[in-house]
Amino acid sequence: MLNSLNSPQREAVKYLDGPLLVLAGAGSGKTRVITQKISYLIDEAGYSPKEIAAITFTNKAAREMQDRVGKLMQGKSTKGLTIATFHSLGLQMLRAEAALLGYKPQFSILDSSDSYKIVADILATTDKQIIRKTQWQISAWKNAFLNADQAKAQADEELTVAAAKVYQLYQQTLKAYQAVDFDDLIKLPVELFQAHESALNKWQRKLQYLLIDEYQDTNACQYKLVKMLTGLRGQFTAVGDDDQAIYGWRGADVENLRQLTDDFSKLKVIKLEQNYRSTVRILRAANQVISNNPKLFEKKLWSDLGTGDLIQVSAAMSEEAEAESVIMKIQAHKFEHRTKFLDYAVLYRGNHQARIFEQQLRNHKIPYTVSGGQSFFDKAEIKDLVSYLRLIANEDDDPAFIRAATTPKKGIGNTTLERLGEYASLHKISLFAAAFEADFQSDVGAKQLDDLLNFCAYINKLQQRAVRDPANEVLDDLLNTIQYEAFLYDSEEPRAAEGKWANVMDFIGWLSKKGEANTEYGNEAEAKNLLELTQMVSLMSMLEGQEAGEVDAVKLSTLHAAKGLEFGHVFLIGVEEGILPHRESVDLGVTDPTKIEEERRLMYVGITRAQKSLNISWCKKRKRAGEMELCEPSRFIAELPKDDVRHFGNPFNDPEISKDFGKSKMANIKAMLANK
């Protein structure tokens, strides 16, 4: 089985003489090493499955590991084997030892919104920014393994002094509630082991060998937990890559890799440098960019997958032009190479960059999925409007009924809806149908019934108009009748309301355009009524809700969310000063070079997602706060190897290159069409 591994991979699997750090470059098969080592520990090294724990950061990564180990073991028992995230392992420990910390075994775990409410109550404010900053600061202290007293001693600004006081009261509240938050799932086990040696000895005996994935993403608290569990014997394999350390903003500390060499004098280091993902040109670009960072460990990726295409760097006049250019390139490349939509990914630094690409993809009827941010159809304001459309199409759609009946509020209260739900459930009919039942009506007050029936009558009216009137007229009437714009401004801060209303206008404009008769490009399409448009929207939103990989769709993703993934063809967009690297990192980088270093690692992650081709783009102008601003290409573009890059639209390069390349591409496509 080990014969399928390369020499360094095989060495990493078989090494059991002490602590091991595997420096696994992008696409070098790190998950394969971890899963093969689990199999080796059980089959060859005499470990029982219950003595092994593999720790990772996401449920998805844990599931992938479990699947791979199951296939490797071919039906052999793995009962007791722990493959879990840091937080789920911490939860196991807390549940087992809760009494030692003064908790009941069935303590509550609060999510981010629960902790937000507690912090808001302590601060006695509704200012979202102050609440979130305080919440984030408390989380950062916990990740750094600082208690409230230590945080108070360190606080040197007005905000952090105030946050330290809130931290104290926050922890007291959690204890009173017999509750813990997400960060406590790591912090409390460390406190437990510091205070109770017997509990530490018990868990050290239980978990004889640890494998830690994505080690560069550990924070101070997680490092303490690993160090305590492994003890003096140091029987662990840590797998990481200092070049992919991109989570400093949430407490991850790449220095934990260096700290291993200090804390474990017998640490063995094995490098995985062969990349099984990308072409030589893509790897040369990645190596050259990251070489501008100071190195913890020297490492250079290589590949035997061929030289590959030149990397394309394009300058666009605006973000609209950039989006249009990328979509056209995807369409042309897909046609020419007979690929699928899922072979393409558009990657960006911030979620806000996705919006214009979503618009373009919808306009060109190209399916897409969004990760690392919120899809257009997942936005609350779009869901609100779609609930009305769904109800127009199908009045028996109960979830749509509840949302439409209560957003905006129409005098239909929870009590009325509860009674309606009980009656509908008892008689096995929809909520809409139940509203017209005499037995139900007799049980509801006159005012409540009037409000309910008025809503239902309005839906009936829209149903009639949906198959008769132009879609844009019906939609305009809907927005005016329910006073949705006023509702947004009443329930949101002005800037948030403005953004949400802009999304509504985009959605309505897009739907209206889709409803018009179309004779573009010689393809005649009849006008669609609102009912037909609703069915189209329902299908699109259902596609977006499917698991990634189930649907043939272009992937839109933040660079952070794309880590660990790979795509045939990558479009890395908005590669400008102020975006990548981020404006805050540029400002702070004057005094703290680590900020720019992390942004460069983010660029490296983006480059190494690509298997066959890489397109990088930047805008010469971009709209900010309603004004057009001149932009500069990112410093990281200048760090790319010149012989591996072809520039387009850049005035500092030969314009003939772009022209000749465009002509040759067009000639190829014409030839293909002629041969069909």
Side-chain angles (χ1 to χ4, degrees), residues 47-53 79-82 89 92-93 96-97 193 198-210 229 233:
Y47 281 85
S48 165
K50 64 183 181 184
E51 294 173 335
I52 303 167
K79 190 178 179 182
L81 173 67
T82 299
L89 179 63
Q92 286 179 38
M93 294 168 173
E97 316 296 343
F193 293 149
S198 59
L200 175 60
N201 292 336
K202 170 186 164 182
W203 282 92
Q204 284 178 340
R205 286 194 303 274
K206 180 178 168 64
L207 302 177
Q208 296 278 316
Y209 201 97
L210 294 187
L229 284 172
R233 69 184 189 282

Coordinates of all heavy atoms in Angstrom, one line a residue, residues 47-53 79-82 89 92-93 96-97 193 198-210 229 233:
Y47 N -0.8 0.0 17.4 CA -1.7 0.9 18.1 C -3.2 0.4 17.9 O -3.6 -0.1 16.9 CB -1.6 2.3 17.5 CG -0.4 3.1 18.0 CD1 0.8 3.0 17.4 CD2 -0.5 3.9 19.1 CE1 1.9 3.7 17.8 CE2 0.6 4.6 19.6 CZ 1.8 4.5 18.9 OH 2.9 5.2 19.4
S48 N -3.9 0.5 19.0 CA -5.4 0.3 18.9 C -6.0 1.6 18.4 O -5.6 2.7 18.6 CB -5.9 0.0 20.3 OG -7.3 0.2 20.3
P49 N -7.1 1.4 17.6 CA -7.8 2.6 17.0 C -8.2 3.6 18.1 O -8.1 4.9 17.8 CB -9.0 2.1 16.3 CG -8.6 0.7 15.9 CD -7.7 0.2 17.0
K50 N -8.6 3.2 19.3 CA -9.0 4.1 20.3 C -7.9 4.9 20.9 O -8.1 5.9 21.7 CB -9.8 3.3 21.4 CG -8.9 2.3 22.2 CD -9.8 1.6 23.2 CE -9.0 0.6 24.0 NZ -9.8 -0.2 24.9
E51 N -6.6 4.5 20.6 CA -5.4 5.3 21.1 C -5.0 6.4 20.2 O -4.0 7.1 20.4 CB -4.3 4.3 21.4 CG -4.5 3.3 22.5 CD -3.4 2.2 22.6 OE1 -2.7 2.0 21.5 OE2 -3.3 1.7 23.6
I52 N -5.7 6.5 19.0 CA -5.3 7.5 18.0 C -6.3 8.6 17.8 O -7.5 8.3 17.8 CB -5.1 6.8 16.6 CG1 -4.1 5.6 16.8 CG2 -4.7 7.7 15.5 CD1 -4.1 4.6 15.6
A53 N -5.8 9.8 17.7 CA -6.7 10.9 17.4 C -6.1 11.8 16.2 O -5.0 12.2 16.3 CB -6.9 11.8 18.6
K79 N -13.1 0.9 15.4 CA -13.9 1.4 16.6 C -13.1 2.1 17.6 O -12.0 1.6 18.0 CB -14.6 0.1 17.2 CG -15.6 0.5 18.3 CD -16.3 -0.7 18.8 CE -17.3 -0.3 19.9 NZ -17.9 -1.5 20.5
G80 N -13.6 3.3 18.0 CA -12.8 4.1 19.0 C -11.9 5.1 18.4 O -11.4 5.9 19.1
L81 N -11.6 5.0 17.1 CA -10.7 6.0 16.4 C -11.4 7.3 16.5 O -12.5 7.5 16.1 CB -10.5 5.5 15.0 CG -9.7 6.5 14.1 CD1 -8.2 6.6 14.6 CD2 -9.7 6.1 12.6
T82 N -10.6 8.3 16.9 CA -11.1 9.7 17.0 C -10.6 10.5 15.7 O -9.4 10.7 15.5 CB -10.6 10.4 18.2 OG1 -11.1 9.7 19.4 CG2 -11.0 11.9 18.3
L89 N -13.3 17.6 19.8 CA -12.5 16.9 20.7 C -12.6 17.6 22.1 O -12.7 16.9 23.1 CB -11.0 16.8 20.2 CG -10.0 16.1 21.2 CD1 -10.4 14.7 21.4 CD2 -8.6 16.2 20.7
Q92 N -15.8 16.7 23.8 CA -15.7 15.3 24.4 C -15.0 15.4 25.8 O -15.5 14.8 26.7 CB -14.9 14.4 23.5 CG -15.5 13.9 22.2 CD -14.6 13.0 21.4 OE1 -13.9 12.2 22.0 NE2 -14.6 13.1 20.1
M93 N -13.9 16.1 25.8 CA -13.2 16.2 27.1 C -14.1 16.9 28.2 O -14.1 16.5 29.3 CB -11.9 17.0 26.9 CG -10.9 16.3 26.0 SD -9.6 17.3 25.5 CE -8.5 16.1 24.7
A96 N -16.9 14.8 29.5 CA -16.4 13.7 30.4 C -15.9 14.3 31.8 O -16.0 13.6 32.8 CB -15.2 13.0 29.8
E97 N -15.4 15.5 31.8 CA -14.8 16.1 33.0 C -15.6 17.3 33.5 O -15.0 18.1 34.3 CB -13.3 16.4 32.7 CG -12.5 15.4 32.0 CD -12.3 14.1 32.7 OE1 -12.5 14.1 33.9 OE2 -12.0 13.1 32.0
F193 N -6.8 20.7 32.5 CA -5.5 19.9 32.6 C -4.5 20.6 33.4 O -3.7 20.0 34.1 CB -5.0 19.7 31.2 CG -5.8 18.7 30.3 CD1 -5.9 18.9 28.9 CD2 -6.6 17.8 30.9 CE1 -6.7 18.0 28.2 CE2 -7.4 16.9 30.2 CZ -7.5 17.0 28.8
S198 N -4.6 14.6 37.3 CA -5.2 13.2 37.1 C -6.0 13.2 35.8 O -6.0 12.2 35.1 CB -6.1 12.9 38.3 OG -7.2 13.8 38.4
A199 N -6.7 14.3 35.5 CA -7.5 14.3 34.2 C -6.6 14.3 33.0 O -6.8 13.7 32.0 CB -8.4 15.6 34.2
L200 N -5.5 15.1 33.2 CA -4.5 15.1 32.1 C -3.9 13.8 31.8 O -3.8 13.3 30.7 CB -3.4 16.2 32.4 CG -2.2 16.2 31.4 CD1 -2.7 16.6 30.0 CD2 -1.1 17.2 31.9
N201 N -3.5 13.1 32.9 CA -2.9 11.7 32.8 C -3.8 10.8 32.1 O -3.4 9.9 31.3 CB -2.5 11.2 34.2 CG -1.3 12.0 34.7 OD1 -0.5 12.6 34.0 ND2 -1.1 12.0 36.1
K202 N -5.1 10.9 32.5 CA -6.1 10.0 31.9 C -6.2 10.2 30.4 O -6.3 9.2 29.6 CB -7.5 10.4 32.6 CG -8.7 9.7 31.9 CD -10.0 10.2 32.6 CE -11.2 9.9 31.7 NZ -12.4 10.5 32.3
W203 N -6.2 11.4 29.9 CA -6.4 11.7 28.5 C -5.1 11.4 27.7 O -5.1 11.1 26.6 CB -6.9 13.1 28.3 CG -8.3 13.2 28.5 CD1 -9.0 13.5 29.7 CD2 -9.4 12.9 27.6 NE1 -10.3 13.5 29.6 CE2 -10.6 13.1 28.3 CE3 -9.4 12.5 26.3 CZ2 -11.9 12.9 27.7 CZ3 -10.6 12.3 25.6 CH2 -11.8 12.5 26.3
Q204 N -3.9 11.6 28.4 CA -2.7 11.2 27.8 C -2.6 9.7 27.5 O -2.1 9.3 26.5 CB -1.5 11.7 28.6 CG -1.2 13.2 28.6 CD 0.0 13.6 29.5 OE1 0.3 12.9 30.4 NE2 0.6 14.7 29.2
R205 N -3.1 8.9 28.5 CA -3.1 7.5 28.4 C -4.1 7.1 27.3 O -3.9 6.1 26.5 CB -3.5 6.8 29.7 CG -2.4 6.8 30.7 CD -2.7 5.9 31.9 NE -4.0 6.1 32.5 CZ -4.1 7.0 33.5 NH1 -3.1 7.7 34.0 NH2 -5.3 7.2 34.1
K206 N -5.2 7.8 27.2 CA -6.3 7.5 26.3 C -5.8 7.7 24.8 O -6.0 6.9 24.0 CB -7.5 8.3 26.6 CG -8.7 8.1 25.6 CD -9.9 8.9 26.1 CE -11.0 8.9 25.0 NZ -11.6 7.6 24.8
L207 N -5.2 8.9 24.6 CA -4.8 9.3 23.2 C -3.2 9.2 23.2 O -2.5 10.1 23.5 CB -5.2 10.7 22.9 CG -6.7 11.0 23.0 CD1 -7.1 12.4 22.7 CD2 -7.5 10.1 22.0
Q208 N -2.8 8.0 22.7 CA -1.4 7.7 22.6 C -0.6 8.3 21.5 O 0.6 8.6 21.5 CB -1.2 6.2 22.6 CG -1.7 5.4 23.8 CD -0.7 5.5 25.0 OE1 0.5 5.3 24.8 NE2 -1.2 5.7 26.1
Y209 N -1.4 8.6 20.4 CA -0.8 9.2 19.2 C -1.7 10.2 18.6 O -2.9 9.9 18.3 CB -0.4 8.1 18.1 CG 0.7 8.6 17.2 CD1 2.0 8.3 17.4 CD2 0.4 9.5 16.1 CE1 3.0 8.8 16.6 CE2 1.4 10.0 15.3 CZ 2.7 9.6 15.5 OH 3.7 10.1 14.7
L210 N -1.2 11.4 18.3 CA -1.9 12.5 17.7 C -1.4 12.8 16.3 O -0.2 12.8 16.1 CB -1.8 13.8 18.6 CG -2.4 13.8 20.0 CD1 -2.3 15.2 20.6 CD2 -3.9 13.4 20.0
L229 N -1.4 17.3 25.8 CA -1.8 15.9 25.5 C -0.7 15.0 25.1 O -0.6 13.8 25.4 CB -2.9 15.9 24.3 CG -4.3 16.4 24.7 CD1 -5.1 16.5 23.5 CD2 -4.9 15.4 25.7
R233 N 6.6 12.5 25.9 CA 6.9 11.5 24.9 C 6.8 12.0 23.5 O 7.5 11.6 22.6 CB 5.9 10.3 25.0 CG 4.5 10.5 24.6 CD 3.6 9.3 24.9 NE 2.3 9.6 24.3 CZ 1.4 10.3 24.8 NH1 1.6 10.8 26.0 NH2 0.2 10.5 24.2

